[in-house]
Amino acid sequence: MSDRRRRKSLSILRPPLAPLTPIDDEAQPMTPGILKKRRPTSLAQDQSGSSSPTGHSDIERANSKNSLDRLRGKKRPHSLQKTGRPSSLLGSLRSHDEDEELTRAASSPSSMLSLAPIIPDVAAGMVIQHGPLPEVGPMFRKRCPYLVLTDSHLIRFKNQERASDMFPNILASPTQPRMRHSRLSSSSSLHELQSASDNPHSIPLLHIVAVYKLDDGEPYFSIEVAHFDPNAQHAATMTIQIHDPRDSDTWLTAIRSTASKARMVNAIPFSQPLIEYTARALEQERDYDPHHFRMFTVVQRANKSGKRSSSDDLTKLTSKICILAIGAYKVHLVPLPKTTKAPSSPSPSDTGGELYGIVTLVSVNIQNHDDSFQLWFRPPFQPAIALHLAALCVDEVAVWLRQTAEYLRPEWTEVPFTWDVPLTLNDQLLPVPAEEEEHRAFDRTLTAYCAGYGADTSNIVYTVDTTCEDAPAFSLVEPGKLDRPKYSSLELLAIFRALRYNETFKTISFAGISLDNLHGLCDYHGWEHAPFTTRSGTPVDIEGLHQAPVLIQEIRALALKSRRIRRMDFSSCLTRKPPSADSPDSGCGICEALFPLCIKQLTNVDWVILNGLTLSDDDIDYLYSAAIEKSCHFRAIEVGSCGLSDRSVQVILQCLTEQSATLEAINLSGNYARLEPRALKEYLHDFPYIRDLNLSYIYRTSGREPLLELDTLLRWKLFRLNLSRASLNTETVAALGAYLRDPRSSTLRHLRLDQCGLTGGVVAGLLEDMTFSTPRALHLYISENYLEKEHERLCKAISESRTPMSITVTMLVYEEERNFRLFVQAWTNNKSTSYLNISKVSLPAEAGADTVSAMRRMFAENQTLEYLDITGEESHLEVSHFGPGLNKALMGLKQNKKLMLLCVENQNLGMPGANTLASILEENSTLRELHCSGNGFSLQAFTVIVCSLFHNKTLLHLPTMDEDRVKAMKKMNRAIDSTRETGIRSLTKPTKAMVRRSVGLVPSPLSFYNRVDGEIVTPKKEFSEADRNTMMTSIMDNWDQQINTMRGYLQRNWNLAQGVPPEGTAVSENHRPGTSHSAITVREWGSVDATPVAEGDGQVGKGKGKATSDDYAEMRGFDGSDGKMEGALMLGERLKLEE
């Protein structure tokens, strides 16, 4: 049975004899059609072609023609002339061997490893190294393969005789030597054993991907050769097991060097389909950038254990050839595309590749002896992931990876990963090209960290202030997504590490941003990001540096790696839990991170703001140990609202006396301690350079002594003084008035006296004290005081222009509207104040006609105010606004030629207010910013305001009304729910007011107008979820459309303000949004035909492109006042567009 199977396989492999060309032999002429067996040349006949097992021989250029002639000139085996079965088993085996010998020379297998199709190229190569391989095959059919390396191919022959036929310099031996030190096996990407084939296998050196030692735990010195044909999309590996390490090193070095030379002479580029396939794989991860994209063919080596296995098991543990692509922010391992007969290129959707953030790279290790290398990636709080790879182009991969990592972190002076590579590779590194980006490529680095950590960049919001003290100042603000009030730990890590090494900012502020997700969190899997040195390389000798929590490490890194940071603000960034027996209070961690560095003079941070943090005893100890060192040169340590006791405040004031030569600010506000004026004077008298003093929300002992004496105040050059909610007795007010009268107080810019129990007469006296010949450049805060008492004196001081340039007086509560009217009239005559904030004013009732008239006159006649804030308040506990009369008062702004910023939020203006603001914007040419959100604007009202920008060429800011949009959507949902519950058919005769206020364009989705009966008809059919979703989607789309239109107008105005000639208006005259565009049409609603419930409403406006005024009807619901109907989005209110 075995003979028959063997015979059958041979009949398949046996080729026809016709293609064999007869070759004339001088010694014995051959008859055409008859092949004679050629006797192999003995070793004694040709000594010059001898070779050693090690492969060292004289290099000769083979004659390809003669080699082919010798191979094809073999005599035909006698077994081929027989037609019957062999007489014995041995005869069959011998016939099999001889048949194979001829078949190898005549057949042309389709495999890429076959010799016949590329014999001319192979035979023309220069032999670099050759040698026999061990015997393989069954006991009765032993074969001794022979391996030959030329300058273009790596070939495996059946035996040395076949090799000598092609290469004359290889001596054919009649007796094949036996090698006990090596074994050859190969495997393809399909994990099939290919060493059983007798065809001469040829691997072009240009197809070799990697040559490396195989660390499989076996007692062999194995070599694995991986190769890939980019044209045939075929990948395979060849494994050679060698006992002798010297032979293994010799073959490894020869194959690597020869393949590298071949690549340098004539490298094969990637095919275009493969490039597109890889690019699409990166695009799916949003990581493709044609300017930062490289791809390499690599081998992902198998992770083989040390368990002994047979050669068959070894072939099952083959490595995998794939594409290593370096994108903009990540490293991708993309599997090779599956070969298909379809003309279209394969899709990478089901590739199952791997990707790793470049910023998570922690180690690059390249072996010197072969092409293998290791890449280690470690995301935060996770163990490291090792990639065991190999590539002939390992140097290119490492250099490009290093260049990309440095490009993403251009400010980093040292890379945060180990670079274990040959020294010669460092000479190939090029400096990162300089690109002009804001803030020294901070956004680039932040985006890279977000991509590597899986954080959402759209959720991170920050501001940069270039006008403040210690500017530029970086300030992290609340997350951009409303459903996520706090930043995640990964987002915070991305921000911290993007700021590290960046020397753009002098101030870093996390004020009001919760850092709780990092507080107490430790990363036990590695400490490659722990700051062990300063930017200049000075070691940081601090105990337990690598074991510290992540928050402490990141704060230390910011202070150590940037030489420009001077101020750090951590106000109210941590929520501390009260200590317990199970969890003792270890402090906030910020003091532990910063103050030891200040003691060792390893940082330039000298202004630390800890306001709002509950400081423990450990924190006070860290602060005290740093403050008593004069070498720290602190300018300020702010500890407001830190829960300090009397003793803690005294300890802090005592240690700060050592910083008297440099201290500029003191903040003791909001603590539980009670300050004694005499003791406070003794401490404060030692600070001659105080510029910022904050004693707000403090308690003082009783007595007639002033909180601050005149000589102490005059000793300083104050810039900011905050005494809000402090108990100011008569002596303190007198000392403050005397200080304001002195010219030495001219440096004061901010004076806060909120909630100090001051009356209108006291404030008027202070205004008179600070009056100079010109308006004083001072911002005075006098909110929540009893100004209605002695109100006439205050109004007189305002009317006589004794006020400073800026005043904030919020939360005014008037029991009599007459007093507020006098207050407004005083500001009409004022000519010294340009900034006025009178938001959240509470009146006993809505503003009357006389008050509205006074406000309109102030808006029209005041020619000094540039900033005006009349925002109302709308909360669960209190609502304060001026009422509908404010719309009439605002019309005075048409005559105003000075106001640049108007803030009129939360005044419940509604649709009438939108019409008022629209008419103002069409005529006013000085207004630059309008803040009007929170006024219950519907989509129709918002559209009216946007339309008015067509004629306004000066406005630069207008809100997107997100708060109003949310309220409008909720109102619509409530209206739909109400309709679904009742299903009432209401019959109501239309009134004149309703016709006058109707737009006449759009039927409400909940009702329509019946011309025949003259009634408002509400269908009884319930609204389905599909109806609801259609309406909501339509409203959102239309709102977004109006936002885009608004931004176009504002961009046009900004270009005009900058002197840039506009390329065109945002919306041309022919496309100006008019009345027909201001409401939601039936088609924009998704039409009533979009849902089966409202099919009956399709007759409304039938046959017309738009609904007419007779077709329009408002939504259900009445507000009970002057017959006005309120729809869910106020769609029925009239649009007044002045054409």
Side-chain angles (χ1 to χ4, degrees):
M1 180 66 71
S2 60
D3 293 340
R4 292 176 182 175
R5 286 199 297 267
R6 188 180 300 110
R7 278 293 190 179
K8 185 175 182 180
S9 64
L10 287 174
S11 65
I12 295 174
L13 293 175
R14 181 180 297 118
L17 300 180
L20 296 178
T21 304
I23 301 177
D24 296 334
D25 189 75
E26 297 178 357
Q28 184 178 359
M30 296 182 58
T31 305
I34 300 178
L35 295 178
K36 295 184 178 181
K37 184 174 181 181
R38 183 178 183 273
R39 187 180 301 277
T41 305
S42 62
L43 181 63
Q45 291 177 347
D46 189 0
Q47 295 293 340
S48 62
S50 63
S51 62
S52 63
T54 59
H56 296 287
S57 63
D58 297 334
I59 300 177
E60 298 181 7
R61 176 69 64 177
N63 190 316
S64 61
K65 183 178 184 302
N66 295 337
S67 302
L68 291 173
D69 292 343
R70 290 191 184 94
L71 186 61
R72 294 179 177 176
K74 288 183 175 295
K75 299 180 180 180
R76 181 179 181 183
H78 295 289
S79 61
L80 294 179
Q81 301 173 3
K82 299 178 181 180
T83 58
R85 292 174 55 86
S87 58
S88 66
L89 179 60
L90 294 176
S92 175
L93 291 175
R94 285 194 300 271
S95 175
H96 179 205
D97 293 342
E98 293 171 356
D99 289 349
E100 281 186 320
E101 193 172 1
L102 181 62
T103 304
R104 295 290 185 179
S107 63
S108 299
S110 59
S111 172
M112 65 166 287
L113 301 178
S114 177
L115 174 67
I118 54 175
I119 281 180
D121 296 335
V122 175
M126 180 190 302
V127 177
I128 304 299
Q129 184 166 319
H130 60 91
L133 297 176
E135 295 179 349
V136 295
M139 180 179 63
F140 296 104
R141 300 186 58 210
K142 293 289 185 180
R143 293 191 301 272
C144 185
Y146 202 85
L147 192 64
V148 178
L149 173 66
T150 69
D151 57 355
S152 60
H153 291 77
L154 178 64
I155 317 108
R156 190 201 67 179
F157 292 92
K158 173 184 176 182
N159 49 42
Q160 185 176 357
E161 180 183 359
R162 292 295 179 89
S164 64
D165 289 340
M166 179 171 291
F167 301 101
N169 59 314
I170 299 178
L171 182 62
S173 175
T175 58
Q176 301 293 341
R178 301 199 173 202
M179 303 290 297
R180 292 194 302 267
H181 62 271
S182 62
R183 179 186 298 178
L184 176 77
S185 63
S186 64
S187 58
S188 67
S189 60
L190 299 177
H191 307 294
E192 296 177 352
L193 187 64
Q194 299 192 16
S195 60
S197 176
D198 294 326
N199 288 325
H201 289 180
S202 174
I203 304 175
L205 298 185
L206 294 179
H207 293 175
I208 292 181
V209 177
V211 183
Y212 50 92
K213 290 185 176 181
L214 190 61
D215 185 14
D216 54 359
E218 297 290 341
Y220 307 114
F221 300 92
S222 306
I223 300 174
E224 191 163 75
V225 180
H227 48 98
F228 169 67
D229 186 354
N231 297 323
Q233 298 292 317
H234 183 88
T237 58
M238 175 185 291
T239 305
I240 306 173
Q241 289 184 340
I242 303 175
H243 289 261
D244 192 340
R246 293 173 299 178
D247 290 345
S248 176
D249 294 340
T250 301
W251 276 108
L252 182 66
T253 303
I255 298 174
R256 287 186 65 201
S257 60
T258 309
S260 298
K261 292 177 182 179
R263 287 172 55 89
M264 294 176 62
V265 175
N266 186 19
I268 299 178
F270 289 105
S271 62
Q272 189 63 27
L274 185 59
I275 296 176
E276 295 177 356
Y277 165 81
T278 307
R280 285 197 303 272
L282 270 64
E283 284 180 349
Q284 290 182 354
E285 301 296 335
R286 303 177 61 184
D287 194 43
Y288 177 72
D289 184 354
H291 301 289
H292 302 89
F293 169 72
R294 287 293 184 277
M295 54 185 295
F296 309 91
T297 308
V298 301
V299 179
Q300 189 172 9
R301 294 181 292 144
N303 187 17
K304 301 178 180 180
S305 62
K307 183 179 179 181
R308 294 182 60 87
S309 59
S310 62
S311 60
D312 294 337
D313 296 333
L314 179 63
T315 59
K316 299 178 182 179
L317 296 175
T318 55
S319 302
K320 179 176 62 176
I321 298 179
C322 58
I323 300 297
L324 187 144
I326 301 179
Y329 307 107
K330 300 176 183 178
V331 174
H332 304 254
L333 287 180
V334 183
L336 294 175
K338 298 180 180 179
T339 56
T340 58
K341 296 182 179 180
S344 60
S345 57
S347 173
S349 58
D350 300 328
T351 58
E354 305 174 26
L355 67 158
Y356 307 91
I358 296 178
V359 295
T360 64
L361 182 67
V362 295
S363 178
V364 177
N365 182 272
I366 297 179
Q367 305 297 328
N368 290 321
H369 54 273
D370 60 3
D371 295 333
S372 62
F373 64 101
Q374 294 83 34
L375 301 179
W376 294 78
F377 297 91
R378 197 182 74 82
F381 314 110
Q382 298 181 23
I385 302 173
L387 296 182
H388 299 277
L389 307 173
L392 200 64
C393 56
V394 57
D395 292 352
E396 300 177 31
V397 175
V399 169
W400 188 259
L401 187 59
R402 173 71 178 267
Q403 296 286 126
T404 306
E406 292 183 354
Y407 175 79
L408 297 178
R409 291 177 287 221
E411 291 295 301
W412 286 53
T413 58
E414 56 183 355
V415 292
F417 53 84
T418 58
W419 181 249
D420 187 8
V421 300
L423 296 178
T424 57
L425 198 60
N426 294 326
D427 299 333
Q428 303 180 26
L429 297 177
L430 300 176
V432 178
E435 297 183 6
E436 294 184 2
E437 292 188 31
E438 267 190 326
H439 317 310
R440 303 192 180 210
F442 170 74
D443 287 342
R444 183 201 309 172
T445 306
L446 178 60
T447 305
Y449 271 104
C450 289
Y453 294 168
D456 186 3
T457 54
S458 63
N459 192 46
I460 298 177
V461 185
Y462 68 90
T463 61
V464 178
D465 189 356
T466 58
T467 60
C468 65
E469 189 177 3
D470 291 335
F474 171 90
S475 298
L476 185 65
V477 298
E478 295 181 354
K481 296 185 177 180
L482 300 178
D483 57 340
R484 296 175 56 187
K486 293 183 180 181
Y487 288 106
S488 65
S489 58
L490 294 180
E491 290 171 340
L492 291 175
L493 273 184
I495 296 169
F496 270 105
R497 291 172 182 175
L499 288 171
R500 190 186 297 194
Y501 287 96
N502 192 297
E503 294 201 324
T504 300
F505 311 110
K506 291 185 178 180
T507 299
I508 302 293
S509 174
F510 297 97
I513 303 301
S514 175
L515 303 180
D516 293 335
N517 288 330
L518 285 183
H519 185 241
L521 189 62
C522 297
D523 192 350
Y524 300 104
H525 300 284
W527 50 80
E528 63 276 357
H529 285 284
F532 294 102
T533 61
T534 63
R535 187 184 183 94
S536 59
T538 305
V540 178
D541 186 13
I542 297 179
E543 184 179 358
L545 185 64
H546 63 282
Q547 298 177 350
V550 174
L551 180 60
I552 296 178
Q553 290 185 2
E554 296 302 324
I555 294 175
R556 282 176 177 168
L558 284 181
L560 287 170
K561 302 301 184 179
S562 178
R563 295 167 298 189
R564 296 197 65 191
I565 295 181
R566 302 290 304 278
R567 185 188 306 229
M568 301 188 75
D569 189 353
F570 298 97
S571 300
S572 304
C573 65
L574 291 176
T575 303
R576 303 290 307 285
K577 297 180 179 179
S580 62
D582 299 333
S583 59
D585 193 356
S586 59
C588 64
I590 300 175
C591 297
E592 180 183 355
L594 284 178
F595 291 131
L597 303 181
C598 298
I599 296 174
K600 296 178 179 294
Q601 301 182 33
L602 298 176
T603 179
N604 292 328
V605 176
D606 55 12
W607 195 306
V608 182
I609 304 177
L610 305 174
N611 300 329
L613 302 179
T614 303
L615 300 183
S616 65
D617 293 338
D618 293 339
D619 295 326
I620 300 298
D621 292 340
Y622 281 114
L623 190 155
Y624 181 84
S625 60
I628 60 176
E629 298 289 340
K630 291 185 178 181
S631 59
C632 292
H633 303 294
F634 284 118
R635 292 188 298 153
I637 298 180
E638 301 188 28
V639 289
S641 301
C642 291
L644 302 180
S645 61
D646 295 352
R647 179 182 176 277
S648 299
V649 170
Q650 292 180 1
V651 168
I652 292 176
L653 288 175
Q654 181 180 359
C655 66
L656 287 179
T657 56
E658 299 295 332
Q659 309 294 326
S660 60
T662 57
L663 201 66
E664 299 179 10
I666 296 178
N667 186 352
L668 301 175
S669 62
N671 288 293
Y672 304 131
R674 297 178 64 89
L675 300 180
E676 185 178 357
R678 291 182 180 179
L680 182 62
K681 176 184 177 181
E682 294 178 0
Y683 288 118
L684 297 181
H685 192 74
D686 295 332
F687 304 111
Y689 303 108
I690 293 297
R691 299 172 51 248
D692 189 343
L693 180 63
N694 189 347
L695 299 178
S696 61
Y697 295 85
I698 64 170
Y699 302 93
R700 54 159 293 174
T701 58
S702 59
R704 301 183 60 86
E705 300 87 355
L707 183 62
L708 295 173
E709 295 188 356
L710 178 61
D711 58 345
T712 303
L713 291 171
L714 294 177
R715 180 180 174 83
W716 300 326
K717 293 183 179 180
L718 286 176
F719 179 84
R720 185 181 292 105
L721 178 61
N722 190 348
L723 299 176
S724 297
R725 205 173 179 180
S727 179
L728 303 183
N729 54 15
T730 305
E731 289 75 13
T732 303
V733 174
L736 185 59
Y739 169 71
L740 292 174
R741 288 193 299 269
D742 195 287
R744 284 175 285 183
S745 66
S746 59
T747 60
L748 189 64
R749 291 293 180 268
H750 297 269
L751 177 60
R752 303 189 71 104
L753 300 174
D754 300 327
Q755 286 185 290
C756 290
L758 305 179
T759 63
V762 174
V763 173
L766 293 176
L767 294 177
E768 295 171 356
D769 291 334
M770 66 178 66
T771 302
F772 290 156
S773 58
T774 58
R776 187 158 184 169
L778 173 67
H779 195 150
L780 177 63
Y781 301 81
I782 49 175
S783 302
E784 299 182 77
N785 285 294
Y786 305 121
L787 300 185
E788 196 172 15
K789 188 176 182 180
E790 301 181 27
H791 192 262
E792 292 78 5
R793 182 181 175 185
L794 174 62
C795 294
K796 181 180 179 182
I798 296 174
S799 180
E800 293 176 355
S801 302
R802 295 180 177 272
T803 56
M805 296 182 64
S806 303
I807 288 185
T808 296
V809 50
T810 63
M811 305 291 289
L812 283 175
V813 179
Y814 281 96
E815 297 180 358
E816 296 184 11
E817 184 180 346
R818 170 182 170 277
N819 291 331
F820 177 71
R821 186 164 58 251
L822 295 176
F823 183 74
V824 172
Q825 293 172 354
W827 286 111
T828 304
N829 302 323
N830 184 275
K831 294 180 175 55
S832 59
T833 299
S834 59
Y835 178 102
L836 178 61
N837 183 352
I838 54 173
S839 59
K840 302 179 182 179
V841 174
S842 178
L843 301 179
E846 294 181 348
D850 295 339
T851 303
V852 169
S853 177
M855 294 177 65
R856 178 168 183 169
R857 181 183 172 190
M858 182 192 73
F859 293 149
E861 298 180 6
N862 185 286
Q863 298 302 320
T864 57
L865 286 177
E866 297 180 358
Y867 178 103
L868 178 60
D869 189 349
I870 54 173
T871 297
E873 184 176 10
E874 185 174 355
S875 62
H876 295 288
L877 299 178
E878 186 175 357
V879 176
S880 61
H881 51 77
F882 294 117
L886 180 60
N887 294 320
K888 186 177 181 180
L890 290 173
M891 298 299 289
L893 292 174
K894 290 185 176 182
Q895 291 79 38
N896 190 286
K897 303 300 180 183
K898 190 67 176 180
L899 192 65
M900 300 180 65
L901 190 150
L902 174 64
C903 190
V904 57
E905 299 177 345
N906 299 327
Q907 287 290 354
N908 196 22
L909 296 178
M911 189 65 199
N915 293 328
T916 300
L917 294 177
S919 62
I920 293 172
L921 290 176
E922 291 185 353
E923 298 186 21
N924 188 285
S925 60
T926 60
L927 205 60
R928 297 293 182 269
E929 296 185 26
L930 176 60
H931 301 264
C932 56
S933 59
N935 282 291
F937 289 149
S938 63
L939 174 59
Q940 185 179 2
F942 183 42
T943 304
V944 171
I945 299 176
V946 172
C947 291
S948 66
L949 294 179
F950 180 83
H951 296 292
N952 188 289
K953 303 295 193 299
T954 59
L955 194 71
L956 302 179
H957 174 80
L958 187 68
T960 56
M961 314 292 183
D962 293 334
E963 181 181 351
D964 298 80
R965 187 206 301 228
V966 173
K967 291 183 178 179
M969 301 295 288
K970 292 181 179 179
K971 194 172 184 179
M972 171 62 84
N973 277 321
R974 289 195 300 268
I976 293 177
D977 292 339
S978 176
T979 304
R980 294 177 65 178
E981 292 176 0
T982 58
I984 299 176
R985 178 184 178 89
S986 59
L987 304 177
T988 307
K989 292 292 183 179
T991 62
K992 293 183 178 180
M994 293 168 56
V995 174
R996 197 168 49 242
R997 292 171 54 250
S998 64
V999 181
L1001 295 172
V1002 184
S1004 166
L1006 304 182
S1007 60
F1008 60 92
Y1009 178 68
N1010 190 334
R1011 298 187 193 177
V1012 179
D1013 300 330
E1015 60 185 16
I1016 301 295
V1017 180
T1018 302
K1020 292 184 178 180
K1021 297 181 180 180
E1022 294 185 358
F1023 269 70
S1024 65
E1025 288 299 324
D1027 295 317
R1028 183 197 299 268
N1029 295 335
T1030 301
M1031 292 180 186
M1032 297 303 170
T1033 303
S1034 180
I1035 294 173
M1036 296 294 290
D1037 293 342
N1038 280 273
W1039 204 293
D1040 291 336
Q1041 181 181 0
Q1042 294 302 322
I1043 291 177
N1044 293 332
T1045 304
M1046 177 192 71
R1047 289 173 176 169
Y1049 286 129
L1050 297 180
Q1051 182 65 37
R1052 175 204 62 186
N1053 296 350
W1054 186 89
N1055 292 337
L1056 293 174
Q1058 300 298 320
V1060 179
E1063 298 180 358
T1065 57
V1067 179
S1068 62
E1069 183 71 35
N1070 295 333
H1071 296 83
R1072 176 180 183 267
T1075 307
S1076 60
H1077 292 80
S1078 302
I1080 302 177
T1081 63
V1082 175
R1083 296 181 182 272
E1084 291 174 331
W1085 273 104
S1087 85
V1088 294
D1089 301 333
T1091 54
V1093 175
E1095 288 181 357
D1097 298 341
Q1099 59 183 346
V1100 180
K1102 183 176 181 180
K1104 303 180 180 65
K1106 308 182 187 67
T1108 63
S1109 58
D1110 294 335
D1111 295 328
Y1112 183 82
E1114 297 186 12
M1115 300 180 66
R1116 296 174 61 252
F1118 294 85
D1119 66 349
S1121 59
D1122 57 36
K1124 184 176 67 174
M1125 295 179 62
E1126 290 290 342
L1129 286 176
M1130 291 178 274
L1131 296 177
E1133 295 172 299
R1134 176 169 172 75
L1135 268 176
K1136 296 181 179 179
L1137 292 178
E1138 300 180 9
E1139 300 292 344

